[in-house]
Amino acid sequence: MDYLSIYPSFDELKLLASKAVDPNSPSIKISVLADNVSGFIVDALKGFGHSAGCNYNIYEAPLNRIETEILDSNSNLNSFKAEYVILLLSSQNLLEKFSVEENKNRISYALNKMAEIESYYLSINKMSPSKFICANFPEIDDGVFGNYSNKVAISFINQIRKLNSCLSELSQRYDDFYILDLVLLQNRHGRNKLVDSRLYANASMAFGLEITPAIAKQINDIIQAIKGKVKKCLIIDLDNTIWGGILAEDGIENIQIGSLGIGRIFTGIQQWIKSLIGRGIIVAVCSKNDEVKAKEVFEKHPDMILRLEDVTVFIANWQDKAENIRDIQKLLNIGLDSMVFLDDSYFERNLVRSSIPDICVPELPKEPEDFLEYIHALNLFETASFTETDKSRTEHYQQDAFRKQLANKYENVLDFLVDLKMTSKVQSFDSFNIPRIAQLTQRSNQFNLRTVRYSENDLKKMSSSNDFIGLCFTLKDKFGENGIISAVILKKQNNVLFIDTWVMSCRVLQRGVEHFVLNELMAVARKEKSEQLVGEYVPTKKNDIVKEHYLKMGFYPQAGFWKMDVNRFKCKKMFITKEEAEMSSKGKE
Amino acid sequence: MEYADILINVEEIVRGVLCDNGIKLCDKTVAGEVPGWDSLNNIRIILAIEKKFNIKYTAEEIRIFQNIGNLCEIIRNRICQ
């Protein structure tokens, strides 16, 4: 299968890039530093930005001026102050420099190169903080040692692999250091597709033209994930998607999973889905089947990798799949554009796609043995965070289902809220909770007043600055612990506190959490001797539900902001008790 | 394919890449004379020609390509092989 066909062509992207910019779309500054001609990658990236509704304002440093641009405080790079800095160093250059090194230097080539790149990152960040996206190095077989390369520390093959491993370590050490994985691209498409030696000789192009959309897409995927555009839910069909055959016709003993028939292929698909669940992706089933018989497979079939507890919403009936999917969306309360639907049926895919344009419906290849490679090539599950909360996300959503069932039993909402026995722990930011808070700011779209996205590094800086006060809130009830579900960042401005960030997980709406939070904010304001809390609502396509938030909280509008005088605040009745007051001071960065 | 047809096809490709339907090419046209035909667009044009005629230029041919006539001549030789 030609995986390059899944990307738009360079010509299509260039056309998009040249279209007039919508003045309302967010402008994002990006700088590119390279030792090879990167013009095509930049054009393709602009095209992807356009289709994602972003205006990528890109500064391309002149070829091979990396060090001068970084070190000169007056350089264009440092004046531009981009939000993202992309470093593209070619494997070809790496090999050329390696070839002229003496053996005694070759042994530390990878480590030296890593130190060099680390110093670029640190210098750039000192001038102006940004997210650093560093391309790793697709392997070149320099043909010197053959398989024996592995047994010789000074072989190029050994050093380039070591360097790639070092880059991974750097990306783990520094929160704002990201890897653009070109090694993955070469693995998928092959070196022949990645490199055109004629273009390298004539135009210093490290990559062929045809692969530039793939490279640009990888960069775009990273940026969009950081911006919070991630997939949260996978909806799967059953027959011929996660097992071979049709349950209603073949019966539970004859569907192919495990060692039966081509079952191994479907076992592989289920194993991948299981891994996604461990990473925090919610799985829902949407199948045309009898519900009891379908669930029986998950409960009883010995070769199933996926079990009922892995599925957050299980819909099996004979109704229209688009309607079912809308029901799933309402239950989970996440955006349609954060959902992916897998179905082997061309008919069902088209039906869902045309009825729900926002949802992602991969056009799966005809044969199940090709499904996984195809889906992986689409890179649907890029992310910018991974915390402990992700591992138990399915469990959390299932607890939500119990809560909803309980709510239905009460006629009076207030009785339900009392009966939940909710408690909340209030904490300031520390090294333990910052990853989860960063994730909340990145992923929350609905209950998000100003939609400012913060990385862990951003939060670390704020928590150690005297100008900011950060608070996060957990929520526990008789069904379980929800973990941290809300966060607020206050900025001290003269004698008022400005609410820079107020986010809350959509799973805990309508429980009175906002009132509990406001109460805590007021306590902080009194402690700081501030006269006012000032809030702001910045409208986006997704945060309509908080349009009246400050109004409902009792703030009054003034000059485009919402204000609450501290001495006028009256606490509303609420049903959440504060757990032992714990303004955490451990691990303050 | 006739030489004239080759020239027309090349002209269409160049017009597409440079987004200018007014461009007219003849044998002696040199890339540098045509507005917008910079080194990056040169690459796009050459690759589009390869795709259209199902041929491959060598690194050396890309390097020394002098004028349109030269380009088309190479195309004709390749197609006839």
Side-chain angles (χ1 to χ4, degrees), chain A residues 410-478:
Chain A
Y410 287 88
E411 288 196 358
N412 188 336
V413 169
L414 301 181
D415 291 336
F416 164 65
L417 290 179
V418 167
D419 200 44
L420 270 182
K421 299 193 183 24
M422 296 181 280
T423 63
S424 171
K425 214 177 345 184
V426 184
Q427 294 171 315
S428 52
F429 294 178
D430 62 34
S431 54
F432 295 96
N433 57 36
I434 278 177
R436 170 62 183 149
I437 297 163
Q439 197 186 58
L440 260 180
T441 71
Q442 287 159 23
R443 290 168 59 115
S444 300
N445 294 312
Q446 298 182 64
F447 197 111
N448 194 333
L449 271 305
R450 299 178 73 242
T451 314
V452 185
R453 311 287 188 190
Y454 289 118
S455 70
E456 290 181 34
N457 232 21
D458 296 328
L459 295 177
K460 279 183 197 141
K461 290 197 190 121
M462 279 188 274
S463 84
S464 56
S465 150
N466 277 327
D467 295 332
F468 291 94
I469 299 172
L471 289 180
C472 65
F473 304 82
T474 68
L475 189 67
K476 188 161 139 183
D477 62 33
K478 71 182 195 187

Side-chain angles (χ1 to χ4, degrees), chain A residues 10-11 40 198-199 202 209, chain B residues 40 44 47 50 57 59 63:
Chain A
F10 178 79
D11 289 340
F40 289 118
R198 305 169 306 165
L199 300 184
N202 278 297
L209 183 61
Chain B
L40 290 189
R44 289 178 68 195
L47 295 177
E50 289 189 333
Y57 289 108
R63 185 181 77 82

Side-chain angles (χ1 to χ4, degrees), chain A residues 208-414:
Chain A
L209 183 61
E210 272 210 312
I211 200 85
T212 42
I215 297 173
K217 181 175 184 290
Q218 297 276 91
I219 299 172
N220 188 54
D221 287 347
I222 294 170
I223 294 174
Q224 292 299 317
I226 292 170
K227 294 247 154 262
K229 257 187 144 174
V230 294
K231 298 287 182 240
K232 300 177 182 173
C233 172
L234 179 65
I235 306 175
I236 51 174
D237 172 47
L238 298 177
D239 295 320
N240 285 317
T241 299
I242 68 159
W243 59 61
I246 296 176
L247 177 65
E249 290 171 14
D250 302 331
I252 184 172
E253 306 85 15
N254 295 316
I255 51 170
Q256 297 176 44
I257 325 170
S259 49
L260 185 63
I262 56 165
R264 202 168 281 152
I265 292 170
F266 296 99
T267 299
I269 293 170
Q270 290 197 23
Q271 278 163 345
W272 167 67
I273 296 173
K274 186 93 182 182
S275 299
L276 280 184
I277 293 170
R279 208 211 87 183
I281 303 294
I282 302 295
V283 167
V285 164
C286 179
S287 168
K288 286 210 165 116
N289 248 306
D290 173 85
E291 183 176 328
V292 171
K293 295 219 168 73
K295 281 187 171 163
E296 197 189 353
V297 180
F298 284 77
E299 285 161 331
K300 306 223 178 98
H301 199 298
D303 297 325
M304 281 289 282
I305 308 281
L306 297 174
R307 296 292 173 195
L308 267 188
E309 68 256 19
D310 295 319
V311 181
T312 302
V313 183
F314 199 114
I315 298 192
N317 55 35
W318 304 98
Q319 284 149 45
D320 171 52
K321 283 206 180 187
E323 275 314 300
N324 283 332
I325 288 178
R326 286 191 204 280
D327 288 341
I328 293 174
Q329 189 269 329
K330 279 189 205 110
L331 274 167
L332 296 175
N333 198 17
I334 54 179
L336 283 168
D337 60 353
S338 72
M339 301 168 113
V340 177
F341 174 55
L342 293 183
D343 195 316
D344 70 296
S345 156
Y346 172 78
F347 168 77
E348 299 286 7
R349 291 195 302 258
N350 266 334
L351 180 99
V352 169
R353 218 183 267 133
S354 47
S355 176
I356 312 177
D358 281 343
I359 192 176
C360 175
V361 185
E363 189 54 29
L364 292 177
K366 209 157 155 284
E367 306 304 336
E369 59 264 26
D370 296 329
F371 283 177
L372 278 189
E373 279 296 317
Y374 177 76
I375 296 167
H376 296 338
L378 297 176
N379 194 32
L380 295 171
F381 296 98
E382 186 72 52
T383 184
S385 71
F386 179 53
T387 69
E388 283 304 310
T389 313
D390 288 312
K391 298 189 188 139
S392 43
R393 185 161 286 123
T394 292
E395 199 187 315
H396 285 159
Y397 273 90
Q398 281 167 346
Q399 285 169 356
D400 285 348
F402 289 134
R403 289 184 188 100
K404 285 198 176 89
Q405 280 177 342
L406 181 72
N408 289 336
K409 292 203 183 110
Y410 287 88
E411 288 196 358
N412 188 336
V413 169
L414 301 181

Side-chain angles (χ1 to χ4, degrees), chain A residues 43 81 84 161 189 196 306 365 450 481 518 523 526 575:
Chain A
D43 283 339
K81 292 196 194 321
Y84 298 88
R161 284 180 187 166
H189 301 287
D196 186 332
L306 297 174
R450 299 178 73 242
E481 169 71 71
L518 184 58
R526 281 189 286 267
F575 306 92

